[in-house]
Amino acid sequence: MHNSAKKIAEKASYEAFMNCYIREVGDVNWVKKNDLLKVFKLPYILNGKEGLELVLPLQHISMIIEVNYRSLVGKHKLGRVYKFYDKETVWKEEEPLNCMISCIQELNLQAKNNNCHEMTSHYDELILRLIDSYHTICTYMEKSDFKNNNKNVEEYSFLESEQSLLFGHWLHPTPKSRQGMATWQHDLYAPELKGSFQLHYFEVDQSILKERFYGGEDSSLMKIKILKMTKEGKYLFPMHPLQSQWLLQQDYVQQAMQANLLKYVGPMGDTFCATSSIRTVYNKKDNWMYKFSIPVKVTNSMRVNKVHELEAGVVMAELFNRIDFLQKHKCFRVLNDPISLSLNLPGKIENGFEVILRSNPFKDGEGKGVHSIAALVQDPLPEEQSLMEQLVQNISRTYQLNTEEASFQWFQKYWHCSVVPMISLYDEFGLALEAHQQNSLVDVSNGFPTHYYFRDNQGYYLSNSKREKLERMVVNLKNAPELFYDEEMIQHRFTYYLFINHIFSIIYRMGEDGLIAEEKLVQWMIKELNNLKQGLSEEGKRFVHFLLNNKVLPCKANLLTRFHDVDELLTDLEQAVYTSMPNPIYFMQSMEKKEKHYATASSV
C-alpha cells in the first residue's frame, strides 16, 4: 500500500468520522488557540485560530483536535489530534485511527452504562465498517488515476462525474463501506474503478412475470420493447451479476428452476457501468438505467428494491405527468422510474428479482456537464482544487468576475432552479423530495446552473393533508400508502436532505475553498426564504417558518445509525436515527439582531 494513498485515505476517513462524532455525540468545547497554548504545552504549533477539546469521560481521555477551517454550516477541516497522557502529564500526537477507535469505545461504554446491552454488541461492527471504508478508499486510489485530467468541469460526461466520488458521503462515518463485495469484484462493479460488465439473464416463464409501468402503452408492447423473447416463448430477464450469483444460491430460486419456470442463461448483451449508487447501471446508448438489488451493504443499508418502491416509481411518474409543475418550472426535471419488473414466486414478498427502470436523458453525449452535487462539493486531493472551485474559477475568467461574485451568482442561479421549485412543489401538492447530494444533479455545461435533476424513487414524501386531493388525481396512489407521511415527519426529513445535506454542503464547499464567506450566502438565503414565504400558503409556508425560527434543526445521525446497526430501509417508515444541530439560519438572524441593537445603542 503506497504511503501517499494510505495517508490521504486515513485523513479522509478521520475527517468524515470525527465530524459525525462532533455533531452527534461529542463532549466538545471550542477553544481559542491562544487560550489553548496558555494552558497546555503542546509539542507543535497549532494551525488555525481555534481548536476542539474532546473529552471521553468514561475512559478518562482528553484530546485536542486541530481545526484548520471551522464551518458555520458544514463539516470542519480537521488537522492533527493530541492526547493527554496522565502518567507522563504531557500531550502527544495521536494516530487518527486510534482516535476514532477510542470514540467508538466511548459509545460502547455509554451504551453499557445506560443498560442498552443490545446496542453494545454492535461496536465491533462499526469498527469493521470503518476499517473496510478506509481500505476501500486506499484501494481505489492505488488502482485508479484520480489526478486532475485537465478536463474542464463543464466537459465531464455524466458517467465521468458519477465515477469521480472517491471519498463518498461528506457526513458519514464509513462513507465507502461496502460489505459483501469481494476484493476482486470492486474492479468490475465499483464506479470509482471504471469497470464495465454485461448484465446476467434468466429465461423466465411469462406466467410468473409481473411488470408495472406508466407510459400509456399496451402491456405486451412494453414487454417486447424492454424484454427480449426466446424462440421458446420465454422472456429474458436482466439482473446485476452480483445479484444473479446470490439468487442462484437461494432454495426458492433452485425450486423454480427445477419447475422449469426459470433458467439461468448468464452474461450477454451490451456492457454497463455502475453509477455512484453502485446498483444503478448505465449504458450511454440505452433508453433506460437499471436499478437492481445487490447483496451488498453500502453505508447504512443492504441495497434492495422493495415492492412498494416499484409501485412508487410508477405512480409518481403518473403524478408528475398529470400536474403542470414541470411545465411551469422548465429548469426543474425529474428522472422518472416509470417501469418495474419482478417475478411472482411463492412465499416471498420480495424475492431479489425486483428491477426498476429509470429514464435516461443522458444518452450519446446528452449528459455533458451534468454532475451530482456530491461530486461538485467533494474534498479535492492534496494540492488540487475541488470541482466546485474549478468551476467557479472558469466562470470568473469567462465572465470577468472576481471569485466572490462568480460564486454568489452561481449559488443564486442554483437556488432558483432547485430550492425554489422544490419548496413550491411541497406547498402546492404536499410533495417533498429526498433531495440529498447524490440524488441531485445539475447541468453546468455552460458554467452556471441551467437545469436541476432529481432522481430516486425512494425519495418521495407525500403529505397526509393532501392525500384525498392526490388520490383523485392518481387513483393508483391508493396502492402506495407508504408514500404518505405526517407533516412533522416530512419537515424533519426535508430539512435534513434539502438543507443540511445538500444546500449547506455547497455553502461549506465555497467557504472552505476561500471563494466566498459562508456568512454571506446564509444571509442572502435568509432574505430569499423570507421573500419566498410571502408567496406560499400551506405546507411550504410552515416549512419555511420552521427553517427560519427553530434554534435547532433535525439532523440524520449517520454515526449513531451505524453504531446501533440500524438498516434504515428495513425499519418502520424507513427511519434512521435522528438528532439535532444548531440552526445556522437562526444563529445568523440572532447575530444580525444583536448587531442592530448595538448599533442603535451606540448611536444614542
Side-chain angles (χ1 to χ4, degrees):
M1 187 175 289
H2 303 308
N3 188 56
S4 58
K6 183 176 180 179
K7 285 294 183 186
I8 293 169
E10 181 182 67
K11 185 175 185 298
S13 301
Y14 164 70
E15 284 205 340
F17 180 94
M18 291 308 299
N19 269 284
C20 289
Y21 193 90
I22 291 164
R23 173 170 289 187
E24 300 174 31
V25 185
D27 184 3
V28 296
N29 298 304
W30 286 95
V31 188
K32 298 290 185 184
K33 180 173 75 173
N34 292 337
D35 294 337
L36 275 174
L37 295 177
K38 288 177 185 176
V39 178
F40 303 123
K41 292 182 179 179
L42 297 175
Y44 300 101
I45 297 174
L46 286 176
N47 292 322
K49 296 179 180 179
E50 294 177 284
L52 273 169
E53 184 182 13
L54 174 64
V55 179
L56 306 179
L58 297 177
Q59 298 173 79
H60 307 287
I61 290 175
S62 294
M63 296 185 189
I64 297 293
I65 299 173
E66 188 176 58
V67 180
N68 296 322
Y69 176 80
R70 181 177 181 179
S71 175
L72 173 65
V73 300
K75 74 183 184 99
H76 311 298
K77 201 74 176 172
L78 305 179
R80 293 164 295 193
V81 57
Y82 302 99
K83 181 178 177 181
F84 188 75
Y85 286 80
D86 292 330
K87 293 180 181 179
E88 302 174 42
T89 64
V90 295
W91 291 85
K92 292 185 178 179
E93 188 170 353
E94 181 66 287
E95 291 294 324
L97 183 58
N98 291 342
C99 175
M100 292 184 278
I101 291 175
S102 293
C103 289
I104 295 172
Q105 179 62 15
E106 189 72 12
L107 290 176
N108 182 48
L109 293 171
Q110 286 178 11
K112 284 184 176 179
N113 279 6
N114 294 328
N115 293 317
C116 299
H117 298 294
E118 72 278 9
M119 300 299 186
T120 61
S121 62
H122 300 313
Y123 88 102
D124 55 336
E125 178 79 3
L126 177 53
I127 292 174
L128 176 65
R129 291 181 186 177
L130 178 68
I131 301 296
D132 176 52
S133 176
Y134 161 59
H135 277 286
T136 299
I137 296 173
C138 283
T139 301
Y140 291 170
M141 292 199 61
E142 290 173 344
K143 288 189 173 184
S144 187
D145 181 13
F146 282 94
K147 294 295 181 184
N148 192 336
N149 59 12
N150 296 318
K151 178 178 281 192
N152 285 336
V153 183
E154 300 91 326
E155 296 174 353
Y156 275 57
S157 70
F158 165 72
L159 184 60
E160 285 173 324
S161 178
E162 290 291 292
Q163 294 175 332
S164 70
L165 285 172
L166 174 60
F167 299 132
H169 195 321
W170 74 305
L171 273 179
H172 197 286
T174 60
K176 288 293 174 180
S177 172
R178 292 172 178 181
Q179 286 178 298
M181 191 182 291
T183 303
W184 65 269
Q185 292 172 329
H186 288 251
D187 290 332
L188 288 174
Y189 308 125
E192 298 84 353
L193 297 184
K194 302 175 174 59
S196 61
F197 51 89
Q198 293 175 299
L199 301 183
H200 287 208
Y201 285 83
F202 289 81
E203 282 186 6
V204 176
D205 190 90
Q206 57 184 319
S207 66
I208 62 169
L209 177 64
K210 183 174 183 179
E211 71 282 352
R212 303 166 181 83
F213 67 92
Y214 177 74
E217 297 187 61
D218 180 76
S219 176
S220 60
L221 290 176
M222 185 64 75
K223 280 190 224 176
I224 292 169
K225 283 190 174 185
I226 302 302
L227 299 178
K228 296 176 182 177
M229 184 177 279
T230 67
K231 294 178 181 178
E232 294 77 20
K234 307 277 188 179
Y235 285 104
L236 289 172
F237 195 96
M239 191 52 53
H240 193 289
L242 289 172
Q243 185 72 356
S244 69
Q245 296 306 308
W246 180 85
L247 286 166
L248 289 171
Q249 309 307 313
Q250 308 308 308
D251 290 341
Y252 61 88
V253 174
Q254 293 175 8
Q255 290 167 10
M257 293 172 71
Q258 291 168 6
N260 203 30
L261 296 173
L262 275 177
K263 178 183 177 183
Y264 176 63
V265 177
M268 60 184 291
D270 295 334
T271 59
F272 286 76
C273 298
T275 60
S276 59
S277 70
I278 305 176
R279 65 189 181 120
T280 301
V281 301
Y282 167 87
N283 176 298
K284 66 180 181 180
K285 295 182 180 179
D286 203 296
N287 291 325
W288 306 100
M289 294 184 236
Y290 295 79
K291 183 178 181 181
F292 297 103
S293 296
I294 55 173
V296 179
K297 275 192 176 181
V298 181
T299 58
N300 287 350
S301 305
M302 187 71 75
R303 298 298 162 166
V304 296
N305 291 328
K306 312 291 283 183
V307 166
H308 71 82
E309 294 163 4
L310 274 60
E311 300 282 359
V314 175
V315 297
M316 292 308 297
E318 183 176 356
L319 177 60
F320 275 109
N321 187 62
R322 292 193 182 280
I323 63 178
D324 60 356
F325 177 80
L326 297 177
Q327 288 70 41
K328 289 193 296 186
H329 300 271
K330 297 291 187 183
C331 63
F332 191 91
R333 298 178 180 179
V334 176
L335 301 191
N336 283 317
D337 301 327
I339 303 172
S340 65
L341 306 169
S342 60
L343 300 184
N344 284 321
L345 296 176
K348 292 283 183 180
I349 298 174
E350 281 100 19
N351 52 51
F353 282 97
E354 293 75 24
V355 183
I356 293 166
L357 276 68
R358 174 170 295 160
S359 57
N360 178 17
F362 309 129
K363 291 176 58 182
D364 299 320
E366 290 299 315
K368 178 184 173 183
V370 174
H371 293 264
S372 70
I373 294 300
L376 291 180
V377 304
Q378 180 178 223
D379 281 344
L381 290 170
E383 312 304 323
E384 292 192 11
Q385 296 176 317
S386 69
L387 292 187
M388 179 64 81
E389 184 175 1
Q390 292 176 45
L391 184 60
V392 169
Q393 296 289 3
N394 290 346
I395 292 171
S396 178
R397 286 189 292 268
T398 301
Y399 296 95
Q400 297 184 334
L401 301 169
N402 62 45
T403 52
E404 182 178 281
E405 185 58 32
S407 304
F408 192 44
Q409 288 191 25
W410 195 96
F411 187 79
Q412 289 175 309
K413 291 178 186 295
Y414 183 72
W415 175 273
H416 286 293
C417 75
S418 62
V419 178
V420 173
M422 274 190 268
I423 295 178
S424 300
L425 178 66
Y426 181 46
D427 188 59
E428 187 175 356
F429 297 101
L431 169 53
L433 303 178
E434 193 173 287
H436 58 62
Q437 294 174 21
Q438 196 169 302
N439 279 355
S440 298
L441 307 174
V442 58
D443 185 342
V444 293
S445 55
N446 293 322
F448 286 116
T450 55
H451 295 93
Y452 170 88
Y453 298 84
F454 173 79
R455 63 178 171 188
D456 194 6
N457 67 348
Q458 290 177 317
Y460 295 120
Y461 302 105
L462 301 182
S463 175
N464 276 322
S465 68
K466 295 283 200 303
R467 188 166 189 162
E468 190 176 323
K469 171 185 174 181
L470 294 173
E471 287 180 349
R472 283 199 304 269
M473 298 171 69
V474 178
V475 175
N476 286 330
L477 274 172
K478 293 178 180 178
N479 299 325
E482 297 87 355
L483 288 172
F484 290 91
Y485 296 81
D486 291 335
E487 186 172 353
E488 183 181 5
M489 172 74 79
I490 296 176
Q491 277 188 349
H492 287 190
R493 294 193 179 188
F494 205 20
T495 297
Y496 171 72
Y497 287 112
L498 178 55
F499 280 87
I500 296 172
N501 183 297
H502 179 171
I503 296 302
F504 287 1
S505 76
I506 299 172
I507 296 172
Y508 152 74
R509 181 76 271 154
M510 288 182 167
E512 204 277 320
D513 286 342
L515 301 171
I516 186 172
E518 293 184 30
E519 289 80 1
K520 289 186 178 180
L521 294 177
V522 174
Q523 286 170 339
W524 179 84
M525 188 170 65
I526 290 168
K527 292 177 183 175
E528 287 299 303
L529 285 170
N530 277 304
N531 291 336
L532 182 61
K533 186 179 175 183
Q534 304 309 311
L536 302 172
S537 58
E538 299 188 43
E539 278 89 351
K541 189 166 190 171
R542 292 190 290 273
F543 173 65
V544 172
H545 180 84
F546 177 82
L547 286 169
L548 290 168
N549 294 284
N550 269 42
K551 290 184 179 181
V552 297
L553 295 178
C555 178
K556 187 178 173 188
N558 283 307
L559 173 58
L560 294 179
T561 299
R562 193 64 281 119
F563 175 70
H564 295 318
D565 199 26
V566 175
D567 187 330
E568 60 200 278
L569 298 184
L570 299 180
T571 60
D572 290 341
L573 300 177
E574 297 186 357
Q575 180 67 54
V577 178
Y578 269 70
T579 184
S580 61
M581 61 170 275
N583 181 0
I585 298 171
Y586 182 89
F587 172 78
M588 286 299 298
Q589 292 177 105
S590 299
M591 290 298 292
E592 288 177 6
K593 287 177 182 177
K594 285 181 181 179
E595 289 172 4
K596 287 179 182 178
H597 173 75
Y598 291 143
T600 302
S602 63
S603 64
V604 174

